[in-house]
Amino acid sequence: MSIPPSTAALPKSVDARKLVQREQQLIGILPHESLERLNAAVESIDGDIRAELQFGRDLQGHLTVSGKLHCDVQLECQRCLQPMPEQVEAEFRWGIVWSEEQGKALPKNLDPVVQDSDELNLYQVLEDEILLNLPMVAYHEQECVARDRFQFGEKTDESGEQRENPFKVLEQLKGSSKKS
Ligand SMILES: [Zn+2]
């Protein structure tokens, strides 16, 4: 997925009706400082949060926004408590409605987004998308930075045989599955 580079900030709020009429496309960045909930949920946000939005209508006449966003963050690994990078790549399709009730009537392929006043708070809805795409718990995928603190192997048991290092066994398994 690629989003064209842009240095312009997205508008904080928009009237979706007008943008649908114009079949407007918006490309821009989401300013970090306006995303309090995301800032609270992650260790840090790295670089620009880029988003691309296309307003329009589907064949049934629903007001829709097709979009994608890209965001790099650091999460705290729940095993070693060190930061770990996480890349959020989200694609979404919103159906713009004016009440929760209307949202329930939307087809399944549209996520209801309620514009309950003159304008839709775009930053808030995009922040929701990022939060939805963060993992519930974060762990370093391969090995924790602090893994070396826990050394396995090297010790010998009563029979005098050297114990296998569990990580080495894992590497061997991975190696042999690649060959076959
Ligand atoms: Zn870790």
Side-chain angles (χ1 to χ4, degrees):
M1 169 167 68
S2 69
I3 299 171
S6 169
T7 49
L10 287 165
K12 188 174 169 54
S13 57
V14 296
D15 182 354
R17 268 169 296 212
K18 283 185 187 157
L19 299 196
V20 163
Q21 274 168 17
R22 291 185 219 140
E23 297 190 346
Q24 181 85 42
Q25 187 185 47
L26 295 178
I27 297 169
I29 59 173
L30 264 170
H32 296 185
E33 60 275 11
S34 55
L35 309 174
E36 273 179 37
R37 289 174 300 152
L38 180 63
N39 276 301
V42 302
E43 293 285 290
S44 65
I45 305 170
D46 298 341
D48 288 336
I49 305 173
R50 303 194 306 277
E52 182 180 339
L53 303 167
Q54 176 66 56
F55 292 75
R57 283 185 189 273
D58 68 3
L59 294 174
Q60 287 83 41
H62 299 113
L63 280 67
T64 62
V65 182
S66 301
K68 49 194 177 185
L69 63 83
H70 174 104
C71 171
D72 290 309
V73 295
Q74 298 279 340
L75 300 172
E76 185 183 68
C77 170
Q78 295 305 296
R79 193 157 40 212
C80 68
L81 305 182
Q82 297 298 309
M84 58 161 287
E86 176 75 25
Q87 198 174 65
V88 176
E89 301 264 9
E91 291 197 50
F92 45 85
R93 194 133 195 264
W94 302 335
I96 305 294
V97 289
W98 320 107
S99 68
E100 302 275 343
E101 278 303 305
Q102 285 182 334
K104 285 176 192 154
L106 280 178
K108 287 245 156 49
N109 65 333
L110 294 175
D111 292 327
V113 167
V114 181
Q115 178 180 324
D116 54 8
S117 58
D118 290 344
E119 303 225 299
L120 176 70
N121 186 332
L122 206 52
Y123 288 1
Q124 195 183 320
V125 188
L126 286 168
E127 188 178 30
D128 286 343
E129 287 293 341
I130 300 172
L131 291 169
L132 279 172
N133 280 280
L134 285 179
M136 299 284 278
V137 272
Y139 291 112
H140 283 107
E141 234 171 73
Q142 302 291 332
E143 296 168 359
C144 284
V145 184
R147 198 205 92 192
D148 287 349
R149 283 190 218 150
F150 312 100
Q151 277 293 339
F152 293 92
E154 311 327 320
K155 261 191 263 168
T156 52
D157 64 16
E158 285 166 356
S159 68
E161 274 175 10
Q162 201 172 36
R163 275 189 194 149
E164 283 274 47
N165 177 330
F167 290 104
K168 235 182 239 168
V169 174
L170 206 66
E171 274 163 21
Q172 281 162 2
L173 281 173
K174 278 183 192 160
S176 62
S177 65
K178 260 177 214 159
K179 272 174 229 155
S180 61

